[in-house]
Amino acid sequence: MPIPQAELHLHIEGTLEPELAFALAARNGLVLPYADADELRAAYRFEDLQSFLDLYYELMAVLLTQDDFADLADAYFERAASQGVRHAEIFFDPQAHLARGVSMETVVGGLWRALETSEERYGVSAQLIMCFLRDESPESAMATLEAARPHLGKIVGIGLDSAEVGNPPGRFAQVYAAAAKLGLRRVAHAGEEGPPEYITSALDDLGAERIDHGLRCLEDPTLVARLVRDQVPLTLCPLSNVRLRAVQSLEQHPLRRMLEAGLMCTVNSDDPAYFGGYIDDNLEQSRSALDLSDDQVRELARNSFRASFLEHDEEMRARYLAQVEAYVFTSVSGRP
Ligand code: HPA
Ligand code: ZN
């Protein structure tokens, strides 16, 4: 039985498994340029973030109706539940859909249909975080925030994703300030491929409350000291980092060093359909590659609930944290 966790870094479009992509394509009368799911899966070999994003955006073409978004989210919830996820704060990329003529209403309405009852059906509570594409303009981000206004009751916060290098956080200071005024929580991808300065800027210029990835903070000891002091959550995604070659191998992933330095780390799955594993796969493979102790694994799980945006429901956070404390490690996964 996997340890209970909150998933804090998960792009719903990145949970599109090849089989579902083909099923949705057929339902929508589209033909994918791959013979079958196996051939598509074989294309999942990436050199860097951009080479992944090219395929990620291409496959979104199959997501057209509310049913498509609801089915995508349901498929995720089913897998997440089996991986110990009790709570999920789910990213979505509206600009990638608006650009294809799919409305905000379709995207949010479809996802919400699944989220509304995910706790009853799968035992996974969930919230939505709307991401802006940092390789689009700040004006486009602001227009997206405007388009989301009628749906803000369904959205807990905003994030920033897509191609990082050359697209520093500071460009989006205005839209983050506007979102903060609307009561939205703020996170941002930073330090995945981009330099440590982008992390500092996400904190100072965007008011980011969590940093997604944040891996490259290690190049700046002053920044590390600040992140430790303020216990800024870093939502790490080890399998993603290996697949996108931010690190050479899981054995060389800095997760354990980061924990030992006192950083507030969590383990997440990013785009699990593309990177070879969901949340517990990330945790188990990291545990094994880095020889993490049971205490460190429990700390990661505890951190995930502490860093989650459950502020309207402290009772729920306490209940989830109690489940983490009560978890008994077993030897089924090869532990000695
Ligand atoms: N990084 C940046 N943008 C993304 C990612 C990622 O790993 N996945 C989906 N959009
Ligand atoms: Zn991500």
Side-chain angles (χ1 to χ4, degrees):
M1 190 181 64
I3 192 164
Q5 286 212 84
E7 171 99 81
L8 305 179
H9 184 160
L10 181 280
H11 303 263
I12 197 65
E13 297 90 345
T15 68
L16 180 61
E17 293 284 343
E19 291 74 15
L20 183 58
F22 271 90
L24 296 182
R27 187 158 91 187
N28 289 321
L30 301 169
V31 178
L32 290 173
Y34 304 89
D36 54 29
D38 288 340
E39 189 181 300
L40 176 52
R41 198 167 261 118
Y44 290 3
R45 267 179 274 103
F46 311 113
E47 275 100 62
D48 54 14
L49 175 57
Q50 189 60 55
S51 62
F52 153 70
L53 289 171
D54 292 344
L55 187 60
Y56 170 81
Y57 291 125
E58 179 190 327
L59 282 188
M60 282 184 202
V62 304
L63 299 167
L64 290 175
T65 66
Q66 287 211 3
D67 282 350
D68 299 340
F69 285 93
D71 290 351
L72 177 68
D74 275 344
Y76 166 68
F77 285 127
E78 190 170 344
R79 284 179 181 263
S82 77
Q83 297 250 329
V85 175
R86 299 291 199 278
H87 176 72
E89 301 188 354
I90 296 177
F91 295 146
F92 68 109
D93 283 330
Q95 285 157 295
H97 308 303
L98 294 168
R100 301 182 292 111
V102 177
S103 71
M104 187 70 85
E105 167 70 29
T106 300
V107 179
V108 177
L111 292 175
W112 188 253
R113 242 169 54 200
L115 262 75
E116 217 174 6
T117 53
S118 64
E119 198 177 353
E120 293 152 39
R121 291 179 301 137
Y122 301 101
V124 181
S125 57
Q127 294 177 310
L128 287 176
I129 296 178
M130 177 172 79
C131 286
F132 301 119
L133 303 182
R134 69 200 309 153
D135 45 359
E136 298 289 336
S137 68
E139 292 75 26
S140 170
M142 195 64 92
T144 306
L145 182 60
E146 275 305 312
R149 264 179 186 267
H151 309 285
L152 289 185
K154 302 182 171 79
I155 298 172
V156 70
I158 57 160
L160 186 65
D161 64 3
S162 202
E164 185 182 8
V165 174
N167 297 305
R171 299 174 72 221
F172 298 92
Q174 251 193 325
V175 72
Y176 268 68
K181 272 199 189 142
L182 292 167
L184 291 163
R185 308 298 298 261
R186 289 159 291 166
V187 302
H189 282 56
E192 179 184 17
E193 287 188 345
E197 293 77 38
Y198 284 19
I199 301 174
T200 304
S201 171
L203 297 172
D204 292 339
D205 302 325
L206 306 185
E209 301 169 79
R210 295 195 301 243
I211 298 293
D212 296 311
H213 294 297
L215 215 54
R216 289 190 60 192
C217 73
L218 296 170
E219 296 165 30
D220 179 350
T222 310
L223 174 60
V224 169
R226 173 184 181 180
L227 296 170
V228 170
R229 183 195 68 205
D230 296 342
Q231 288 293 286
V232 177
L234 306 177
T235 63
L236 302 176
C237 307
L239 290 176
S240 164
N241 297 148
V242 174
R243 290 297 180 101
L244 301 187
R245 307 194 191 184
V247 301
Q248 280 187 349
S249 67
L250 213 46
E251 286 71 20
Q252 290 178 50
H253 197 283
L255 167 62
R256 179 169 160 174
R257 275 192 287 132
M258 293 172 83
L259 280 174
E260 288 169 356
L263 288 161
M264 214 276 194
C265 303
T266 67
V267 165
N268 304 270
S269 53
D270 210 3
D271 302 281
Y274 294 88
F275 300 148
Y278 286 75
I279 198 167
D280 196 57
D281 304 321
N282 271 272
L283 189 60
E284 266 307 305
Q285 290 182 40
S286 301
R287 183 192 64 73
S288 154
L290 300 170
D291 199 20
L292 299 179
S293 68
D294 289 355
D295 281 349
Q296 285 172 322
V297 171
R298 201 186 301 278
E299 182 184 352
L300 287 164
R302 205 183 279 133
N303 287 349
S304 73
F305 292 109
R306 288 200 177 137
S308 69
F309 294 146
L310 278 167
E311 78 282 5
H312 297 306
D313 205 336
E314 289 301 332
E315 183 269 329
M316 202 154 161
R317 193 198 309 270
R319 185 151 36 90
Y320 289 142
L321 280 166
Q323 290 178 13
V324 172
E325 300 314 319
Y327 181 78
V328 178
F329 289 97
T330 62
S331 58
V332 285
S333 52
R335 285 163 189 278

